[in-house]
Amino acid sequence: MPAPRRERRKVAGSERVGVYTLLRFERGGLDAGIPGQFFMLELPGHVVPRPFSICLAPKGELGFLIDPVGPVTRELCELERGQEVSVFGPLGNGFRTDVDRPLLVGGGIGVAPLPYASQLMGKPPAILGFRTRHHAEAAKLVPKAEVCIEPTLVTELIPAVPMNVLACGPEPMLHAVHALVPDAQLAWEAPMACGFGACYGCVVEFESKSVRLCVEGPILNGRPPVLPVLNGSEEEKAE
Amino acid sequence: MILNASGCLDALTAPAVARKLDAYVVKTVTLEPRAGNPQPRLAETDFGMLNSIGLQNPGVERFCTEVLPRLEELGIPLWISVGGAEATEYAEVCARIGERATVHALELNLSCPNVDPAAEGAAEIVAAARAATEAPLYAKLSPLLPDVAGVAKSVLEAGATGLSLVNSLRGLALDEWTLEPRLGRGVGGYSGAALRPVALAAVFICYKATDGEVPIVGMGGVETGKHALDLIAAGASAVALGSILFRDPNAPERVRGELAEELSARGFKRPEEARGVAHRSQND
Ligand SMILES: Cc1cc2nc3c(=O)[nH]c(=O)nc-3n(C[C@H](O)[C@H](O)[C@H](O)COP(=O)(O)OP(=O)(O)OC[C@H]3O[C@@H](n4cnc5c(N)ncnc54)[C@H](O)[C@@H]3O)c2cc1C
Ligand SMILES: Cc1cc2nc3c(=O)[nH]c(=O)nc-3n(C[C@H](O)[C@H](O)[C@H](O)COP(=O)(O)O)c2cc1C
Ligand code: FES
């Protein structure tokens, strides 16, 4: 697994995708990591960085899909080409992608890690749920996606045959997917301050075990974590 | 001397960061395991951040069998932060950790804003801990104490070796739409830049009250070498990095370099020469 690095990266481009923004950075010396891994993006004037899933990894770039829900996400959506942000990653464990019968399941901004997963996994079937048609525009980032709009829920579309589900979305959706497919890989979320196990802010209970999502996740039932995160190898050298 | 603030670094997930410190301070250990507080546990707010981790830790038994041996393998001097609900609990944890060559000090967390405070006074807890161990004991005090100098003197009389100043303040942030608390527990610990002048005052007052004769670890909002120098000038003999580590894991090395430059720019050869200089022109 590639070691995380922290670098200042320039915005390579930004485009609206429905209510979301696809923000691309010049990749520099950073590795794109594997689907389900995340990066901490830090804006000047903010106390802690914020986690974002790697969404796309075009040649020489890193792409993130951002939902403007608060101060940092709103500022990220307004960034212009050439502006600089500190980017730290890839972090976390990521999805197991070598599965037999993959099915990607996303809800809302939970679509974010799926374009990259779809690309690396040879465009497996996908089911995406959104609140409105405007939100659903993001479905164009995932080939072969079946889309549903509320009140229809993604869990109503998951076929009864056994599938290896990779899911990302709001917590109620993840609970429903987990109930339906107990071994589903679930991209879980909690506010994070560090992304490398330092703060214990991201701890959640899963199957009566307490996990630090940034190191033992964010993918629950995903790949085993790679520890330590910052071990001092050459590639890790920060800024 | 540059340390991390307790609860702001895990040397097992980030040994590369811990190796840049003069000693690694572990997250507070209590007698029994603690699951910590419900989500959400973090929120950025004005001039700092809020946390309500709630002293999550495996308890002293598992700490000693599962965590401490792995920390010892790193070969870094260790400080163990000790917490509890009563003086007897603090004493028991200190006794269980025992005296070890790798453990250079115990820090008594007398001030976590995320758990209910111990019933006894700080001095009683320190005295109980002192009876249980011969290791150097640092009393970590809250910036919310109305008479920090008085408490500092009482814990030193009770057997503390030095002081750690300060723990986080208490803070609240509300969701922008629901206007409900953003942290699951409601109120949380407030750390970061806002704490800087508060920490500086606590160090300044306690240095003066103790005639500069006891070691003081200064912390609270340190982000640069200049912030570290300010604490040293106010009376700190060591500086600990807290919230800054979350966004800049390179902070120990960076702050050390910046501190050296700030010292030499003012004609100081070593940090010790700058200690307490803020008091030079102070008359009683
Ligand atoms: C591993 C991981 C990957 C993520 N990937 C993406 C992504 O690809 N695209 C994207 O748009 N967002 C993603 N997020 C969520 C994103 O990090 C938060 O929306 C962001 O931190 C909010 O910052 P803000 O300053 O805009 O708002 P804040 O003011 O920090 O928060 C706004 C509101 O969102 C809540 N909130 C903040 N962070 C989280 C969180 N992590 N989980 C649940 N609620 C939260 C807060 O409690 C508050 O109510 C991811 C989160 C994690 C943990
Ligand atoms: C996420 C977090 C967890 C903390 N956990 C502990 C702890 O377990 N024990 C303790 O004594 N202090 C704890 N603290 C307080 C810090 O050690 C420090 O006193 C405080 O954050 C002020 O420093 P700063 O402003 O540089 O962060 C914690 C602080 C934060 C932000
Ligand atoms: S985000 Fe800090 S421990 Fe996970």
Side-chain angles (χ1 to χ4, degrees):
Chain A
M1 221 75 126
R5 295 165 57 107
R6 182 165 168 269
E7 291 185 0
R8 293 195 67 77
R9 302 299 349 149
K10 278 202 172 71
V11 174
S14 172
E15 63 187 271
R16 294 274 188 264
V17 183
V19 299
Y20 309 118
T21 294
L22 182 62
L23 182 64
R24 290 175 293 111
F25 293 96
E26 293 172 4
R27 195 186 294 184
L30 298 169
D31 192 286
I34 56 175
Q37 285 195 294
F38 66 95
F39 288 74
M40 298 298 283
L41 303 186
E42 180 199 335
L43 288 177
H46 286 275
V47 182
V48 288
R50 303 289 201 277
F52 297 92
S53 309
I54 180 75
C55 174
L56 277 169
K59 205 170 178 328
E61 293 184 354
L62 296 173
F64 299 94
L65 190 69
I66 315 278
D67 187 7
V69 297
V72 170
T73 46
R74 285 195 289 258
E75 279 178 55
L76 285 170
C77 291
E78 297 308 319
L79 287 180
E80 285 169 18
R81 199 186 153 86
Q83 283 184 283
E84 277 193 348
V85 170
S86 160
V87 181
F88 176 39
L91 297 162
N93 64 345
F95 288 113
R96 278 178 288 114
T97 48
D98 57 343
V99 293
D100 296 333
R101 301 197 53 186
L103 173 67
L104 309 179
V105 176
I109 185 60
V111 65
L114 303 184
Y116 187 37
S118 177
Q119 191 195 335
L120 292 197
M121 296 169 79
K123 305 188 182 144
I127 302 171
L128 303 176
F130 294 96
R131 223 163 347 137
T132 68
R133 299 220 159 270
H134 195 31
H135 287 83
E137 283 179 45
K140 72 174 187 201
L141 298 172
V142 184
K144 289 208 233 161
E146 189 180 346
V147 177
C148 63
I149 311 280
E150 281 181 25
T152 308
L153 302 175
V154 289
T155 39
E156 297 169 34
L157 302 184
I158 294 180
V161 295
M163 300 279 260
N164 300 109
V165 171
L166 285 68
C168 183
E171 226 174 281
M173 183 200 104
L174 295 178
H175 282 294
V177 170
H178 186 52
L180 212 58
V181 187
D183 67 350
Q185 302 183 60
L186 309 169
W188 215 267
E189 261 193 45
M192 293 182 174
C194 68
F196 59 98
C199 72
Y200 278 80
C202 64
V203 172
V204 299
E205 284 270 318
F206 182 68
E207 294 181 333
S208 43
K209 265 183 56 195
S210 157
V211 292
R212 258 179 297 180
L213 279 183
C214 67
V215 287
E216 292 145 294
I219 312 302
L220 303 176
N221 287 332
R223 295 196 188 208
V226 180
L227 290 171
V229 184
L230 297 177
N231 198 20
S233 63
E234 256 320 291
E235 313 90 84
E236 264 167 32
K237 283 278 175 271
E239 294 196 32
Chain B
M1 191 157 85
I2 296 183
L3 317 174
N4 65 294
S6 173
C8 299
L9 185 67
D10 179 355
L12 296 179
T13 61
V17 181
R19 278 191 213 104
K20 305 285 183 193
L21 300 164
D22 296 297
Y24 167 67
V25 185
V26 305
K27 183 160 179 60
T28 300
V29 182
T30 54
L31 186 58
E32 300 298 333
R34 290 182 56 98
N37 287 325
Q39 284 288 339
R41 293 177 169 193
L42 298 167
E44 180 174 305
T45 189
D46 303 336
F47 318 112
M49 61 177 280
L50 301 178
N51 85 82
S52 61
I53 311 303
L55 297 189
Q56 176 173 355
N57 79 94
V60 70
E61 188 165 329
R62 273 185 55 210
F63 174 78
C64 286
T65 54
E66 294 171 25
V67 183
L68 191 49
R70 292 167 63 206
L71 289 173
E72 288 178 320
E73 278 172 28
L74 297 173
I76 309 164
L78 303 174
W79 286 35
I80 314 289
S81 167
V82 174
E86 310 170 15
T88 51
E89 284 184 27
Y90 283 86
E92 172 94 30
V93 175
C94 292
R96 296 256 202 120
I97 288 163
E99 274 107 69
R100 298 170 184 245
T102 49
V103 176
H104 289 214
L106 302 178
E107 184 178 79
L108 303 175
N109 180 358
L110 304 173
S111 47
C112 182
N114 288 319
V115 298
D116 298 323
E120 292 97 336
E124 244 174 290
I125 295 171
V126 173
R130 183 36 86 217
T133 181
E134 287 180 7
L137 283 179
Y138 282 72
K140 184 164 177 183
L141 303 182
S142 165
L144 299 166
L145 291 169
D147 175 22
V148 69
V151 176
K153 282 195 211 163
S154 74
V155 294
L156 290 164
E157 269 161 35
T161 316
L163 304 168
S164 290
L165 302 167
V166 291
N167 210 314
S168 44
L169 279 164
R170 215 180 282 125
L172 175 69
L174 302 180
D175 180 87
E176 76 183 285
W177 296 111
T178 66
L179 300 179
E180 286 171 15
R182 289 178 57 189
L183 297 183
R185 195 173 189 264
V187 167
Y190 181 31
S191 63
L195 218 53
R196 259 191 325 260
V198 178
L200 212 50
V203 169
F204 187 85
I205 291 166
C206 289
Y207 179 88
K208 190 161 180 207
T210 55
D211 299 321
E213 280 168 3
V214 300
I216 298 177
V217 183
M219 72 192 102
V222 176
E223 296 177 352
T224 67
K226 175 58 168 51
H227 301 154
L229 178 58
D230 282 352
L231 280 170
I232 292 168
S237 49
V239 171
L241 305 177
S243 308
I244 185 63
L245 291 168
F246 303 149
R247 72 165 186 263
D248 183 8
N250 190 40
E253 203 172 4
R254 177 177 58 76
V255 169
R256 194 186 295 281
E258 291 168 359
L259 175 60
E261 281 175 28
E262 299 286 353
L263 284 164
S264 81
R266 290 164 182 77
F268 298 111
K269 291 196 192 65
R270 299 174 307 125
E272 294 75 20
E273 291 176 11
R275 186 177 183 204
V277 297
H279 297 264
R280 272 183 311 207
S281 61
Q282 293 278 310
N283 318 310
D284 288 296

